[in-house]
Amino acid sequence: MIAAVFACGAARFWIGAAQSVRKEHRWSLDIPVSGIALAFSIAIVISQRPEPLGGLMYGAGLGMLGEGIFKIAENYLKKAGTVFGIDTDKTG
């Protein structure tokens, strides 16, 4: 389980470390998505009881899937911002 949690956390951190969008949505999106990915990694490892390498692969895979969840949530926030007239693009 330690391998899965470490791999999931590392994948979530390294995938999003270089993206400037993460800085503006760090608390509203990235932390909850990382928590969900970590929880799913823990649940899979507890239910499947894989070998350490399998746990590492489960954790890394679910950490990368968390990036897809983040992109979906980010697009939803942008779409909701345009509907409600809120400026969500803070690049300028």
Side-chain angles (χ1 to χ4, degrees):
M1 183 182 308
I2 293 170
V5 169
F6 177 75
C8 184
R12 293 293 307 134
F13 175 75
W14 287 111
I15 287 173
Q19 296 181 0
S20 63
V21 174
R22 294 292 172 93
K23 291 180 182 134
E24 65 187 64
H25 296 299
R26 173 73 62 195
W27 297 109
S28 63
L29 288 178
D30 197 30
I31 299 297
V33 168
S34 295
I36 290 169
L38 284 169
F40 273 110
S41 294
I42 291 169
I44 294 279
V45 168
I46 288 173
S47 66
Q48 298 296 319
R49 295 185 181 263
E51 296 292 322
L53 181 61
L56 190 69
M57 295 306 223
Y58 280 134
L62 287 169
M64 287 185 273
L65 284 176
E67 181 64 22
I69 296 168
F70 182 85
K71 293 293 182 187
I72 291 169
E74 181 185 10
N75 288 336
Y76 179 75
L77 272 181
K78 286 182 182 179
K79 193 181 296 185
T82 58
V83 168
F84 295 115
I86 301 170
D87 182 26
T88 58
D89 186 29
K90 297 180 180 177
T91 58

